Amino acid sequence: MQRSRKRLAVIHTGGTIASRPSPDGRGLTPQQAPSLTGLPDVEVHDVQPLNLPSPHITPAHMLELAGLITALAPDHDGVVVTHGTDTLEETAFALHLLLGTPTPVVLTGSMRHAAEVSWDGPANLLDAAGVALHPHSSGRGPLVVFGGDIFDARTVTKVHTTAVDAFGGYPGPIGRIDRTETAAHVRFFATPEQRQTYAPDSLKARVDILYAYAGWRGEGYAGARAEADGIVIAALGTGNLPAELLPLIAKTRQPVIIATRTHAGPVLPVYGYAGGGATLVQAGAIPASFLNAHKARILLLTLLGSGLGKEEIRRIFGEAGF
Ligand code: ASP
């Protein structure tokens, strides 16, 4: 049905875009959700399920958010989610795995808070709304809009701790929004791969991430193996580890996912020395392809929460175009 006014749901979850210096002088805290201004012809419905700094966001929150978006989407032409930038890419990727709605969903935030003269929140929010309501945004999965760039949820990552253009990732934006006095100009350069979605019962499994370094002899691995349902390792280069890790991984019954601590490129099992990627795969480890460690963890949580076993998990990491 064609509505006379477009309807936009704006879901606020906290983050710097909602933050100001706290009155007790302890530093910035989320306080007031930002208002969308500049779109007088759009009917905006603000919803605030959370008001958290994004380091406090958990996978359980992501699942709740997916449920809320699924409920709101049929009545709206677009959905915007405001979120702290620190874990924004994890929430975006969880939504990429969970949401089946054709209604565009766009995440944004800000790097500067509302009491700063250079607050980037209003422009990012306006841009996110412009993309969420654009007719070409549907069918691309959840998107992230920041500094005028449009990213897909699978590849976007936070690349700077303070810069206003804080998001990037390989291979980069899939589109751009720019404004003139009279209009917003949205251009897409790419359509993300078809994605598979999942309906996990929960995202409550325990998946630990371990970070590899020169001279790592497996410190921390035994604890993860004893307690966790799965392990992700941010490994070296194309997915290699020191030799000491090879026997530990060979003895692990839970899924062990090998991602890379390098910021771009795939995990490829090419090296045959002890701990080289080929030997890790022979020992049962699963390469994460292009997913960074924290997104590989979100995928593993989703697959474990969907009741899938190790071989199915291996197949999905290998074949699902990640
Ligand atoms: N630490 C803040 C958060 O992630 C940073 C931000 O919002 O950009 O909530």
Side-chain angles (χ1 to χ4, degrees):
M1 186 185 57
Q2 194 69 30
R3 298 184 188 103
S4 54
R5 289 177 87 200
K6 290 206 167 173
R7 288 161 60 93
L8 180 75
V10 182
I11 302 177
H12 301 277
T13 69
T16 299
I17 196 167
S19 292
R20 286 174 178 272
S22 68
D24 61 11
R26 289 187 189 197
L28 297 176
T29 52
Q31 293 174 39
Q32 189 172 355
S35 306
L36 175 64
T37 52
L39 291 177
D41 297 334
V42 175
E43 199 176 312
V44 177
H45 297 142
D46 289 292
V47 188
Q48 181 158 18
L50 301 169
N51 195 22
L52 295 175
S54 77
H56 294 191
I57 297 274
T58 65
H61 291 127
M62 297 171 197
L63 194 55
E64 281 169 31
L65 196 52
L68 178 60
I69 293 170
T70 302
L72 290 171
D75 273 344
H76 293 86
D77 299 290
V79 177
V80 167
V81 179
T82 65
H83 197 289
T85 55
D86 290 350
T87 62
L88 187 147
E89 69 198 71
E90 281 152 276
T91 297
F93 187 57
L95 298 177
H96 172 99
L97 297 171
L98 299 171
L99 288 179
T101 176
T103 304
V105 176
V106 179
L107 294 92
T108 196
S110 76
M111 292 299 288
R112 306 215 170 126
H113 64 78
E116 289 184 275
V117 278
S118 54
W119 185 29
D120 49 333
N124 281 343
L125 189 50
L126 187 61
D127 285 349
V131 173
L133 295 173
H134 196 273
H136 294 172
S137 297
S138 182
R140 296 175 199 267
L143 300 169
V144 172
V145 169
F146 226 92
D149 286 327
I150 307 170
F151 300 92
D152 74 286
R154 181 166 67 92
T155 63
V156 68
T157 193
K158 188 173 181 181
V159 293
H160 201 286
T161 57
T162 58
V164 170
D165 285 328
F167 284 86
Y170 179 84
I174 64 161
R176 174 90 200 155
I177 176 165
D178 288 293
R179 294 182 176 280
T180 56
E181 277 299 296
T182 50
H185 303 271
V186 175
R187 289 282 181 282
F188 283 100
F189 322 128
T191 301
E193 293 276 288
Q194 287 294 324
R195 70 202 154 96
Q196 172 76 44
T197 56
Y198 300 90
D201 293 335
S202 78
L203 295 181
K204 287 197 181 128
R206 175 169 160 181
V207 173
D208 290 3
I209 297 178
L210 300 171
Y211 193 95
Y213 47 88
W216 187 30
R217 288 172 304 164
E219 293 88 338
Y221 192 93
R225 194 175 69 192
E227 307 270 346
D229 304 300
I231 298 173
V232 176
I233 302 178
L236 310 168
T238 49
N240 309 304
L241 291 171
E244 289 86 342
L245 270 295
L246 181 59
L248 300 179
I249 288 173
K251 277 190 269 169
T252 307
R253 74 185 152 73
Q254 303 95 316
V256 177
I257 311 296
I258 305 293
T260 175
R261 68 176 201 174
T262 310
H263 301 294
V267 169
L268 279 183
V270 286
Y271 289 99
Y273 55 80
T279 67
L280 300 178
V281 169
Q282 283 152 21
I286 300 170
S289 186
F290 280 81
L291 287 181
N292 65 27
H294 38 290
K295 288 190 186 176
R297 175 175 177 269
I298 297 290
L299 176 58
L300 184 53
L301 286 173
T302 303
L303 300 180
L304 289 169
S306 304
L308 302 181
K310 196 166 170 179
E311 287 320 307
E312 197 62 3
I313 289 170
R314 182 188 308 283
R315 186 187 66 70
I316 290 168
F317 268 92
E319 289 175 8
F322 293 112

